[in-house]
mmCIF file with all atom_site columns, all heavy atoms in Angstrom:
data_model
loop_
_atom_site.group_PDB
_atom_site.id
_atom_site.type_symbol
_atom_site.label_atom_id
_atom_site.label_alt_id
_atom_site.label_comp_id
_atom_site.label_asym_id
_atom_site.label_entity_id
_atom_site.label_seq_id
_atom_site.pdbx_PDB_ins_code
_atom_site.Cartn_x
_atom_site.Cartn_y
_atom_site.Cartn_z
_atom_site.occupancy
_atom_site.B_iso_or_equiv
_atom_site.pdbx_formal_charge
_atom_site.auth_seq_id
_atom_site.auth_comp_id
_atom_site.auth_asym_id
_atom_site.auth_atom_id
_atom_site.pdbx_PDB_model_num
ATOM 1  N N   . TRP B 1 34 ? 82.984 105.662 101.459 1.00 97.00 ? 34 TRP B N   1
ATOM 2  C CA  . TRP B 1 34 ? 82.741 106.883 102.237 1.00 97.00 ? 34 TRP B CA  1
ATOM 3  C C   . TRP B 1 34 ? 83.952 107.117 103.123 1.00 97.00 ? 34 TRP B C   1
ATOM 4  O O   . TRP B 1 34 ? 84.400 106.207 103.839 1.00 97.00 ? 34 TRP B O   1
ATOM 5  C CB  . TRP B 1 34 ? 81.477 106.759 103.083 1.00 97.00 ? 34 TRP B CB  1
ATOM 6  C CG  . TRP B 1 34 ? 80.217 106.948 102.311 1.00 97.00 ? 34 TRP B CG  1
ATOM 7  C CD1 . TRP B 1 34 ? 79.362 105.991 101.837 1.00 97.00 ? 34 TRP B CD1 1
ATOM 8  C CD2 . TRP B 1 34 ? 79.636 108.207 101.911 1.00 97.00 ? 34 TRP B CD2 1
ATOM 9  N NE1 . TRP B 1 34 ? 78.310 106.564 101.169 1.00 97.00 ? 34 TRP B NE1 1
ATOM 10 C CE2 . TRP B 1 34 ? 78.447 107.923 101.197 1.00 97.00 ? 34 TRP B CE2 1
ATOM 11 C CE3 . TRP B 1 34 ? 80.006 109.548 102.084 1.00 97.00 ? 34 TRP B CE3 1
ATOM 12 C CZ2 . TRP B 1 34 ? 77.624 108.917 100.674 1.00 97.00 ? 34 TRP B CZ2 1
ATOM 13 C CZ3 . TRP B 1 34 ? 79.190 110.530 101.558 1.00 97.00 ? 34 TRP B CZ3 1
ATOM 14 C CH2 . TRP B 1 34 ? 78.015 110.219 100.869 1.00 97.00 ? 34 TRP B CH2 1
ATOM 15 N N   . GLN B 1 36 ? 86.032 110.012 105.809 1.00 96.00 ? 36 GLN B N   1
ATOM 16 C CA  . GLN B 1 36 ? 85.858 111.117 106.737 1.00 96.00 ? 36 GLN B CA  1
ATOM 17 C C   . GLN B 1 36 ? 87.197 111.849 106.865 1.00 96.00 ? 36 GLN B C   1
ATOM 18 O O   . GLN B 1 36 ? 88.228 111.213 107.082 1.00 96.00 ? 36 GLN B O   1
ATOM 19 C CB  . GLN B 1 36 ? 85.420 110.585 108.097 1.00 96.00 ? 36 GLN B CB  1
ATOM 20 C CG  . GLN B 1 36 ? 85.200 111.641 109.158 1.00 96.00 ? 36 GLN B CG  1
ATOM 21 C CD  . GLN B 1 36 ? 85.016 111.004 110.536 1.00 96.00 ? 36 GLN B CD  1
ATOM 22 O OE1 . GLN B 1 36 ? 85.884 110.265 111.007 1.00 96.00 ? 36 GLN B OE1 1
ATOM 23 N NE2 . GLN B 1 36 ? 83.905 111.293 111.181 1.00 96.00 ? 36 GLN B NE2 1
ATOM 24 N N   . GLY B 1 42 ? 93.466 114.514 108.574 1.00 89.00 ? 42 GLY B N   1
ATOM 25 C CA  . GLY B 1 42 ? 93.585 113.080 108.373 1.00 89.00 ? 42 GLY B CA  1
ATOM 26 C C   . GLY B 1 42 ? 92.347 112.486 107.728 1.00 89.00 ? 42 GLY B C   1
ATOM 27 O O   . GLY B 1 42 ? 91.225 112.933 107.951 1.00 89.00 ? 42 GLY B O   1
ATOM 28 N N   . GLN B 1 66 ? 71.138 100.492 90.908  1.00 90.00 ? 66 GLN B N   1
ATOM 29 C CA  . GLN B 1 66 ? 70.327 100.835 89.729  1.00 90.00 ? 66 GLN B CA  1
ATOM 30 C C   . GLN B 1 66 ? 70.201 102.337 89.568  1.00 90.00 ? 66 GLN B C   1
ATOM 31 O O   . GLN B 1 66 ? 70.252 102.866 88.453  1.00 90.00 ? 66 GLN B O   1
ATOM 32 C CB  . GLN B 1 66 ? 68.932 100.206 89.839  1.00 90.00 ? 66 GLN B CB  1
ATOM 33 C CG  . GLN B 1 66 ? 68.893 98.708  89.612  1.00 90.00 ? 66 GLN B CG  1
ATOM 34 C CD  . GLN B 1 66 ? 69.448 97.927  90.766  1.00 90.00 ? 66 GLN B CD  1
ATOM 35 O OE1 . GLN B 1 66 ? 69.411 98.373  91.921  1.00 90.00 ? 66 GLN B OE1 1
ATOM 36 N NE2 . GLN B 1 66 ? 69.961 96.744  90.497  1.00 90.00 ? 66 GLN B NE2 1
#
Side-chain angles (χ1 to χ4, degrees):
Chain B
W34 282 101
Q36 180 190 57
Q66 286 74 28

